[in-house]
Amino acid sequence: MITFSATTVLVLALIAAVVVAIGLWAYSTANRLDRLHVRSDQSWQALDSALARRAVVARAVAMAIAGPVSDPALTDQAKRLSSLADRAERAGRAERETVENQLSSALSAVDIAQLRPQLVAELADAEARVLIARRFHNDAVRDTLALRTRRPVRLLHLGGTAPLPTYFEITERATPAASTGLAVDTIRTSARVVLLDEQDRVLLMRGNDPKTPAVSFWFTIGGGVEPGESLRAAAVRELWEETGYRADPESLRGPIWRRVAVFPFDGELIRAEELFFVLRVRAFTPEPGNLTVIERRSITGHQWCTPADIAALDRSGETVYPYHLDELLPEAAGIAAGSDDPEVRSIR
């Protein structure tokens, strides 16, 4: 019969503990790497989508500057812009940076005074989304490479056979409003609330631009953050001003989403960075607490909406912001029902 001394047993126990610890570390690191790879893949898909939308807007700009007037210089500029937009849509990953940077240069040469205000806003919004998506993607790539290139990770092949993600660099305009690529009248940060009732319906407000009262649209509750005010405080204040509901700031979950929008409103071109909270309440009839003068002119109604209601409003020609809110509502409802802190993600 084989017997072991106490020292031998202790050594074996220590070795077993080390092996288990290494195994647990390797398992958790491999899982984390997998999540980072998924994140970098998703961020690239979002960037690819933003670049595709910019190409569509660039083609619309080309058609606008060509116009009915026969100007050889403008005609050549329009042809080049349209050609680059086509190439950007077809380019593979290897040459995508080069083509997209050429498209950026071509867009920088456009005299936006020739464009109608709505197209100016569309172009600014498309460029802003590209820049935001690129930053999100490069952040994801940085975090993935930081872990993937560590020596223990490489020695144990914890990254598997997945290819290393790569950065995407695109030129940002060197103009007075480099954050959007176009001059804007107002830049603001907004706090918004996805207010859900017991049936997972969201409260939306109906409104219009005072300059175009015939065109209505729908939006979530919220507005600009005042100087010295926190996001939560602004969200709670806007909620009371627009609906009369008083909420505890700590009851809000989030921010859950981040949206950058560039749009014309009341004669100005506005760039807004919107951060969304979610809050579940019992359904009630909104009674505004303290609307501003502009809100009294622009807010015309409200409705508790299901995803089907939102889709119907979009089909009727009354746009709902943010886009695809009907598809986003289940995510908001899940976060409202959970207890973990959500991770902010970019939406349209």
Side-chain angles (χ1 to χ4, degrees):
M1 182 177 180
I2 300 175
T3 58
F4 297 96
S5 66
T7 302
T8 302
V9 171
L10 179 60
V11 170
L12 291 174
L14 288 173
I15 293 174
V18 170
V19 170
V20 169
I22 292 175
L24 290 173
W25 172 83
Y27 177 77
S28 63
T29 301
N31 278 340
R32 184 182 170 202
L33 263 177
D34 183 62
R35 291 195 299 271
L36 286 172
H37 276 292
V38 169
R39 177 186 163 202
S40 62
D41 288 343
Q42 291 176 338
S43 66
W44 168 251
Q45 291 170 8
L47 175 56
D48 182 63
S49 176
L51 291 169
R53 179 168 179 263
R54 187 179 74 152
V56 172
V57 176
R59 197 175 292 108
V61 170
M63 293 175 62
I65 62 176
V69 181
S70 180
D71 184 328
L74 289 179
T75 300
D76 289 343
Q77 185 183 36
K79 287 181 178 179
R80 173 171 169 74
L81 196 55
S82 182
S83 174
L84 286 172
D86 290 341
R87 285 179 57 197
E89 287 180 325
R90 298 193 303 267
R93 181 68 176 85
E95 61 173 345
R96 190 71 176 273
E97 279 187 16
T98 300
V99 178
E100 293 291 354
N101 277 302
Q102 290 172 347
L103 180 57
S104 292
S105 297
L107 286 169
S108 295
V110 172
D111 179 6
I112 63 172
Q114 304 173 34
L115 308 178
R116 54 189 172 82
Q118 188 59 46
L119 187 53
V120 172
E122 283 288 326
L123 178 57
D125 186 51
E127 291 198 324
R129 292 182 191 286
V130 167
L131 298 183
I132 293 298
R134 181 186 67 81
R135 291 167 185 169
F136 269 93
H137 173 69
N138 284 348
D139 285 348
V141 171
R142 179 201 62 212
D143 294 343
T144 304
L145 293 179
L147 183 59
R148 181 82 180 266
T149 55
R150 290 180 184 175
R151 181 172 296 179
V153 173
R154 288 187 287 108
L155 289 176
L156 295 175
H157 300 288
L158 298 181
T161 58
L164 289 174
T166 56
Y167 291 103
F168 189 87
E169 299 300 341
I170 188 170
T171 303
E172 299 187 13
R173 290 184 189 228
T175 63
S179 59
T180 61
L182 295 171
V184 296
D185 298 299
T186 302
I187 298 176
R188 71 182 186 189
T189 299
S190 298
R192 311 205 70 85
V193 181
V194 180
L195 195 68
L196 301 175
D197 70 1
E198 310 95 320
Q199 303 174 48
D200 286 344
R201 298 181 303 173
V202 61
L203 181 60
L204 295 180
M205 312 303 287
R206 185 175 188 261
N208 54 57
D209 185 335
K211 298 293 185 182
T212 55
V215 180
S216 295
F217 51 86
W218 296 78
F219 50 94
T220 55
I221 295 156
V225 178
E226 297 179 351
E229 190 177 38
S230 70
L231 278 171
R232 283 180 183 274
V236 169
R237 174 181 53 75
E238 289 287 342
L239 180 58
W240 174 73
E241 289 179 353
E242 295 181 9
T243 72
Y245 186 92
R246 293 188 180 276
D248 177 359
E250 296 306 313
S251 64
L252 272 62
R253 302 294 315 287
I256 61 173
W257 303 324
R258 179 175 184 263
R259 174 177 183 260
V260 175
V262 181
F263 53 91
F265 185 79
D266 199 27
E268 292 189 337
L269 188 61
I270 298 172
R271 179 187 187 273
E273 179 180 16
E274 301 177 337
L275 291 132
F276 292 76
F277 294 89
V278 61
L279 175 66
R280 188 183 297 282
V281 300
R282 290 185 177 181
F284 64 97
T285 301
E287 293 289 344
N290 184 29
L291 294 180
T292 64
V293 173
I294 192 69
E295 286 172 337
R296 287 196 294 271
R297 290 172 56 202
S298 59
I299 296 178
T300 59
H302 59 79
Q303 181 178 329
W304 288 96
C305 296
T306 65
D309 294 331
I310 294 171
L313 289 171
D314 273 321
R315 286 195 301 269
S316 73
E318 296 193 350
T319 306
V320 178
Y321 299 102
Y323 296 111
H324 309 301
L325 181 59
D326 54 328
E327 300 173 7
L328 293 170
L329 279 187
E331 177 186 346
I335 292 173
S339 57
D340 295 334
D341 290 331
E343 184 172 319
V344 183
R345 72 180 188 87
S346 180
I347 63 169
R348 285 188 62 205

